[in-house]
Amino acid sequence: MEAREILMKFKNNEMTLEEAEHYFRKQPFEEMEYAKLDSHREIRSGFPEVIYCSGKADEHFVKIFQRLYEDNGEVLGTRASRHQYELVKELFPQTVYEEICHIIKIEKPDKERIGNIAVCTAGTADIPVAEEAAQVAEYFGSHVTRIFDVGVSGIHRLLSRLDDIQSANCVVAVAGMEGALASVLGGLVDKPVIAVPTSVGYGASMNGLSALLTMINSCANGIAVVNIDNGYGAGYIATQINRMGCRKLD
Amino acid sequence: MEAREILMKFKNNEMTLEEAEHYFRKQPFEEMEYAKLDSHREIRSGFPEVIYCSGKADEHFVKIFQRLYEDNGEVLGTRASRHQYELVKELFPQTVYEEICHIIKIEKPDKERIGNIAVCTAGTADIPVAEEAAQVAEYFGSHVTRIFDVGVSGIHRLLSRLDDIQSANCVVAVAGMEGALASVLGGLVDKPVIAVPTSVGYGASMNGLSALLTMINSCANGIAVVNIDNGYGAGYIATQINRMGCRKLD
Amino acid sequence: MEAREILMKFKNNEMTLEEAEHYFRKQPFEEMEYAKLDSHREIRSGFPEVIYCSGKADEHFVKIFQRLYEDNGEVLGTRASRHQYELVKELFPQTVYEEICHIIKIEKPDKERIGNIAVCTAGTADIPVAEEAAQVAEYFGSHVTRIFDVGVSGIHRLLSRLDDIQSANCVVAVAGMEGALASVLGGLVDKPVIAVPTSVGYGASMNGLSALLTMINSCANGIAVVNIDNGYGAGYIATQINRMGCRKLD
Amino acid sequence: MEAREILMKFKNNEMTLEEAEHYFRKQPFEEMEYAKLDSHREIRSGFPEVIYCSGKADEHFVKIFQRLYEDNGEVLGTRASRHQYELVKELFPQTVYEEICHIIKIEKPDKERIGNIAVCTAGTADIPVAEEAAQVAEYFGSHVTRIFDVGVSGIHRLLSRLDDIQSANCVVAVAGMEGALASVLGGLVDKPVIAVPTSVGYGASMNGLSALLTMINSCANGIAVVNIDNGYGAGYIATQINRMGCRKLD
Amino acid sequence: MEAREILMKFKNNEMTLEEAEHYFRKQPFEEMEYAKLDSHREIRSGFPEVIYCSGKADEHFVKIFQRLYEDNGEVLGTRASRHQYELVKELFPQTVYEEICHIIKIEKPDKERIGNIAVCTAGTADIPVAEEAAQVAEYFGSHVTRIFDVGVSGIHRLLSRLDDIQSANCVVAVAGMEGALASVLGGLVDKPVIAVPTSVGYGASMNGLSALLTMINSCANGIAVVNIDNGYGAGYIATQINRMGCRKLD
Amino acid sequence: MEAREILMKFKNNEMTLEEAEHYFRKQPFEEMEYAKLDSHREIRSGFPEVIYCSGKADEHFVKIFQRLYEDNGEVLGTRASRHQYELVKELFPQTVYEEICHIIKIEKPDKERIGNIAVCTAGTADIPVAEEAAQVAEYFGSHVTRIFDVGVSGIHRLLSRLDDIQSANCVVAVAGMEGALASVLGGLVDKPVIAVPTSVGYGASMNGLSALLTMINSCANGIAVVNIDNGYGAGYIATQINRMGCRKLD
Amino acid sequence: MEAREILMKFKNNEMTLEEAEHYFRKQPFEEMEYAKLDSHREIRSGFPEVIYCSGKADEHFVKIFQRLYEDNGEVLGTRASRHQYELVKELFPQTVYEEICHIIKIEKPDKERIGNIAVCTAGTADIPVAEEAAQVAEYFGSHVTRIFDVGVSGIHRLLSRLDDIQSANCVVAVAGMEGALASVLGGLVDKPVIAVPTSVGYGASMNGLSALLTMINSCANGIAVVNIDNGYGAGYIATQINRMGCRKLD
Amino acid sequence: MEAREILMKFKNNEMTLEEAEHYFRKQPFEEMEYAKLDSHREIRSGFPEVIYCSGKADEHFVKIFQRLYEDNGEVLGTRASRHQYELVKELFPQTVYEEICHIIKIEKPDKERIGNIAVCTAGTADIPVAEEAAQVAEYFGSHVTRIFDVGVSGIHRLLSRLDDIQSANCVVAVAGMEGALASVLGGLVDKPVIAVPTSVGYGASMNGLSALLTMINSCANGIAVVNIDNGYGAGYIATQINRMGCRKLD
């Protein structure tokens, strides 16, 4: 709808002031002193706002947590410390802290989950990042199948779980060190593979940069990459894809 | 179906030798002297094999092109030179060469296309990579909307096309230099954004590495990245997503 | 004035020995055992000397602080620790410590401020660097408008503050992660944008190097970049520009 | 002015439809098939659009050149090849090609220039980039003083031109190899220094990356950096600053 | 044998002057004006000297080729140009030039070969490097099995050749792009895997550096890496290992 | 043996169900909740599984240690902390902890060792990595000769041990800083040299990356490289080679 | 003297067994269990062995310190911790610890010093590295002039000390951040400049790598560079040069 | 002499105007339109100015060559093309062009040379850079001993030339690939070693960066490094050192 059209409708009383204003108003977010909460976000993107907890001042963290919980009836924070957990636990005893992936959350009970995302890791040390992806995807309403420790140096472990992997709407491949898992998966499935390099490794792994380069250079098709250790980002985009995959086929 | 089950069925004559062998046979590809054509590929992944033409010897290139055309009734090659085009044009005069994105192809007429992918570029110099993405996606059966030259240094150009972008099932963001386009798009749509860094730029652009880092570090959600100048890879995964998006909603 | 001219004027008594010597003397600074205080600096550059506190030995730090305060009636130190604050607080109880940006200072009361600098950040985690820029600019006599948490992944937040940004003489863009804020700002204002990459981020952010590369490669005009986390440098050059912008138009 | 206010004024006939539409309309640029000319640009930024010629298709280049010339009565292109020059020379014989810095232009005669920008280079090999900066600044209406070959390995050459440098409103420091020129200049003037690293050098100069790092790490104040070889960018921001510096002092 | 012992034996006439001198003499190589041919090399290492042809002056190249042929009755050069081939072909018409891997050689007829080395490539573009490795190993007396185009994005192609791979004494894994082939092979065989990254790829492959990092970071056991495109080095060390593997088992 | 053949043999009762199933079964590993123990590994590769202890949760670490000990009667872990040692020492008092190289183990008494591997270091600071290599090789059944502190800046120290080095079946060269040791060794022996860069050094050593590059670029023959500080990997592949070297000569 | 000549002299009794053996013997160093002390070093190089203390085990450190002191009557260690100082102070109360540069030493009294080395720093934070260079040079017998805090952002400070700098036999330039000091010095003196990059700085200084690149790329003559923070190396080579400079002129 | 003293002497007629002016005058160089010839250079540094020919415009190159020849009776240019040689050969037929190292020169006949510099290379491909160093040093009046192709992979070649190397006043070590030559030399001589990394190599040699890192990290003493391929810089500083070494010993 063009501006001209709106203006005319408003003038002709086919539209109220509030309706017209809605199209042009400037502030679809809630101004706090230290941050701008994105209150239109769920409408715009289909996902509620999530807190990136790391580095937030105590006072700010608690207020944002509280506000989001009051707005949505549930809330999720990533990269939370145990200290931050203890802060909000006093206010909301139902808060849960997932130590392995540093997620803090209050989740609505009996949430329905749809579809399926396969979250795979190369080794056991990649599990924290994989859990972040899995729990974020679950919070956003996806079913998740966890398939851990199936790295390419023992390819038979991966092949034994092929059915589970191939039946998912989206595959998340979490791997540090050489990161070859994504390429092998890309050649075995017909769904998008979201690759997550991890900072697991030593020496020339350069905190995940080597794995990132491996994945970006993959010669397999249907692979795209998110940032090192970015389980959250992988869980988010995998959920976008999973939601599409749950539509009914003709 | 487990191996034990198959073996028993075969022994009990519930399954022929050919059927049983099918499960265990080793070679779902066609051995040529210099390459292994992946003849099961379309069955396995839903996509026909595509030729990466760059660096192939003339004789090999022509034979592979011919074989794939005979098998599928159509064929597509990326990063093809004009010289390679002339080689196959003699054999198949209906071959088309898209100079701007170095694609060579024979395509079945009246192919039906579904859904919608928005392919956006930051500048005009990014168009060759974007065209590779767009034409690959079209070849694989997707509708594509091209939205070029909408880089973030003139944000109003991008905002004016927002409706087109938001109605797509998947957005491909092609940008060199600083690569900020992906982040802005990620904040504006509720569908996955596939980011393609390009080697466009000079100075510290380092042939696309700077744009790649920008995109990988994006603070927006729903973004994943493919290799520098990898229009093909973006068109492929965008098609996977677009196909899902075309399923009927409940 | 050429050397020959000065020499002749001096010989002809048109100039005193002191005046002549002034042109050739060698030491416009104050020699301390461990440092050379630049006492001519304010005359030469229009800015008083500032202390970079990090790594200074306690004794040296206190003496330099004291000397500068005695010379100028005010003093400012960047990257100061709480320990350093406590050292000088005993001597000068009026000393102020800004915890968030690690600035320590004694400032003349009722200092007049001129013009306007807009200091913008992409996220809340960039605020410490932005505050360093803002407080340094204020200490040097500039008005500052703080516009925080307006990153490009939610572009509407930035657009809602456009008037404030466009009315400034200089814009400071502080951003970590992908650093795209500078490009978007560069396309929206007609004044110089000083971009400050921050070390905020994780994974492939490489402690701010990715943001630096993004900003250096910006395709927008009117952008120049200072070092990662260098809020002080941005506040300094923004003040130089702001002073010019406060001159009367014809 | 808020949206609500505009809407009411329009309804109450205090504003025409055209005036109201102006605030909300979407397309302040001219759509061509292959590009989006930014026709509002001069109004928004005070600078006309400039053509980055490198890599443009012949037909596109000529059309854009023509259109901009017709709109503004003058036009400037950077990184133009001799071939591109010959293309437009046929249409507009008054076109000038500056071989040393690859600038192509038709400039209004008797253009008035204001203020002063000092463009300095470390060596003779940096002159092409410096000339790009200088000519761009002149095209945008600035006076420019060229001070070439004053690198820090012969510091007396620089000191001999100090008066010229110190009297400028802005200093552009162009240097490859070790890039130390910017730091020395930063310590000698009280105006902003825009540093331009060049790709001049060999060995570990890494095509200008070393010079870029040197300049970004400068310990002097009042320095900000643009991309490697980006003379255009330096000329642009220096002109922004020079324009401010030409305002009358109180 | 200690120096003292040799000296006493010589004095006591239990050793001739020539024998004693042999232990202490300084020059086990042949001095040419422009190079030092390592004439003791075959004795010391079990391998004849090989010519690295690239960049050698014509005259020098021909003389070295001639000398080595006269000394050993055969000669091999790597990275030879067609021009260099034509130079020596005039002198020695039996010279052979392997265009695909740029090897030039005269080889003794009926050379016996022992053991087995499996040389695998990920794609067809890796074949030139693989051929260098294979032909060098053959020249040094090893049997070689070539297994090309078995990259991990189609893992079934690799698995179908497992028997051939597992029966070799050493496996050479040649791969560009993401280089994951080495890891998968390392998990499937009980013999050393020599990994050769290649410069094949584009974008972030950085001329083979990404593949090198992938291989160095491999989480599989029994893998060691040589330089990018260094087929010669891989063929050499694989032959050392193959020779050991041909010893009789107890 | 082809699938068809197995199927027919089974049908014809020349093979039992168990035997036939063996060829096709999918799971040659033991599924634990958090890991997949590779129980076929020793059969497949000739080496028992080893624990990479770093980062394992206490409970998981103890269970895996226990399981492997029960399966094999011995067990070895690398990169173990003293804390992890104390955990298992309570269960198995015979556990040994090698502080210098962070190895934890229970080893069968009177294990026979064969052949010889020379493990050399450039300096004393490289000893921890060298000891990891040496102890791993010994655990896997190799004799090891330790030759430490023979770096190339005092080449006579290395030459004095030449006999010991030249008589080994494989040489491991462990060096940080400039890593030149591998090249010198490569020129002196006729056996494979496995080079291990270490993170020893400061300044531009970049945590071992410089040494890695030095070794990868070695102009000597018969050298291959493992990851920085990867003593385990070197000990593993050196043992593979040593085992071959122990076969009887014809 | 050739081997043949020595052998004949020995046989003809013109040389004793000991003298002859001297030429061929293998071990000009003292074997300790964990290290090889280079007892011929002072004869060979003119410099006594120095201890690099960092990372040495307590017991080893003390024994080496003791042995070197007993051999030479003095001893110097670099990068020593206070803890290491306390260890040896109990044995040798005359031990001195220089906290600022982490040097530990017992020095012969009344050592004569010759010539002159100018050690310059850009800032006060570079002093620890400069002191290491200065004290090492003094220990090796050179006079040192310290000229600190003369960085190029205040070039007049450097120019005021020009006489002192120009009269030295060798100049050591110690600088972090942008490292431009070496270039300016190289243009002002006619003696070699040894440049020492330091890890001082933040952001894109990358722990001294930027300063290293600046210095390596210097366009001035007579400059060579040592490793980041390597004051010891600079003091060593500066002493070599200073000793030559103290020779009498004809 | 202080400014005050000079002024008084001048006023008191103890000094002429010219003498006084000499101390303060500003321009010890000759201004050409496009460059500033450093006419005081030989006085200041003891070395005549040398032309870096690469990239100079024909006209500029010829004029500078001519001017320097007229001033000094000889002239030397580095990195000259054959085309540049032909330009000046027409004017000065006595001009010599050294193709291998791209030096162009007219040299005074019967120039006396002093002292000795040993210029060593690792391989034959490093000779062009070594020749640049050698010829520059000879032009500046040093004797040079060339010792080529003595890389560390055949250490006996280097040891056989030890006497020649040890008798020089300065050693220049030229090496690409792994660059280990400098470390070995540093351990064998008691004179400064100037290390020159070369861009010779392939794969991970990264155009000399790997060799540069190797040399900078050398664990040997008495080594300092110049830029990649910078033979000129090495010849210059080696001559500075050689001149000192030619002074008479007491």
Side-chain angles (χ1 to χ4, degrees), chain H residues 92-167:
Chain H
F92 307 104
Q94 72 272 45
T95 309
V96 171
Y97 185 54
E98 302 282 353
E99 189 107 39
I100 196 172
C101 57
H102 300 281
I103 275 181
I104 189 172
K105 66 180 169 187
I106 303 174
E107 199 168 1
K108 287 179 187 158
D110 307 321
K111 206 189 262 184
E112 200 186 0
R113 298 216 168 85
I114 62 170
N116 192 19
I117 296 168
V119 176
C120 307
T121 77
T124 55
D126 303 313
I127 292 178
V129 175
E131 270 299 319
E132 189 183 270
Q135 297 203 15
V136 162
E138 287 171 344
Y139 182 81
F140 288 153
S142 296
H143 276 301
V144 171
T145 304
R146 285 158 175 83
I147 302 171
F148 292 168
D149 201 18
V150 291
V152 301
S153 67
I155 197 77
H156 55 290
R157 298 178 301 184
L158 176 62
L159 298 178
S160 77
R161 297 297 301 275
L162 213 48
D163 290 349
D164 287 339
I165 296 169
Q166 286 176 335
S167 64

Side-chain angles (χ1 to χ4, degrees), chain G residues 18-149:
Chain G
E18 282 66 31
E19 284 167 356
E21 191 185 8
H22 175 86
Y23 284 89
F24 306 128
R25 74 179 159 169
K26 282 177 165 166
Q27 191 143 336
F29 52 83
E30 184 171 358
E31 185 85 46
M32 300 176 77
E33 187 195 352
Y34 39 84
K36 295 185 178 47
L37 285 196
D38 195 347
S39 42
H40 275 217
R41 186 190 173 85
E42 184 143 18
I43 296 156
R44 207 175 63 237
S45 71
F47 291 84
E49 187 150 35
V50 161
I51 313 170
Y52 181 81
C53 305
S54 172
K56 290 244 179 330
D58 282 3
E59 190 199 15
H60 294 181
F61 168 67
V62 171
K63 275 197 195 152
I64 294 174
F65 191 94
Q66 195 165 357
R67 174 65 56 98
L68 286 176
Y69 177 59
E70 285 162 11
D71 284 4
N72 303 314
E74 64 177 8
V75 59
L76 182 137
T78 61
R79 311 227 167 180
S81 65
R82 175 156 282 281
H83 169 71
Q84 289 174 318
Y85 165 58
E86 275 150 17
L87 284 174
V88 293
K89 194 171 174 59
E90 290 201 10
L91 292 171
F92 307 104
Q94 71 272 45
T95 310
V96 171
Y97 185 55
E98 302 283 352
E99 190 107 38
I100 195 171
C101 56
H102 300 282
I103 275 181
I104 190 172
K105 66 180 170 187
I106 304 175
E107 198 168 1
K108 286 180 189 159
D110 307 321
K111 206 190 263 185
E112 200 185 357
R113 300 215 168 86
I114 61 169
N116 192 19
I117 296 167
V119 176
C120 307
T121 77
T124 55
D126 303 311
I127 292 178
V129 175
E131 270 298 319
E132 190 185 89
Q135 297 204 16
V136 161
E138 287 171 344
Y139 182 81
F140 288 153
S142 296
H143 276 302
V144 171
T145 305
R146 286 160 175 82
I147 302 172
F148 293 167
D149 200 17

Side-chain angles (χ1 to χ4, degrees), chain D residues 153 178 180 183 187 204-205 210 214 217, chain G residues 153 178 180 183 187 204-205 214 217 219:
Chain D
S153 67
E178 96 270 49
S183 291
S205 77
S210 291
T214 302
N217 281 292
Chain G
S153 67
E178 97 269 47
S183 292
S205 77
T214 302
N217 281 292
C219 50

Side-chain angles (χ1 to χ4, degrees), chain B residues 23 43 51 62 187 231 237 248:
Chain B
Y23 284 89
I43 297 155
I51 313 172
V62 171
I237 195 169
K248 282 256 174 68

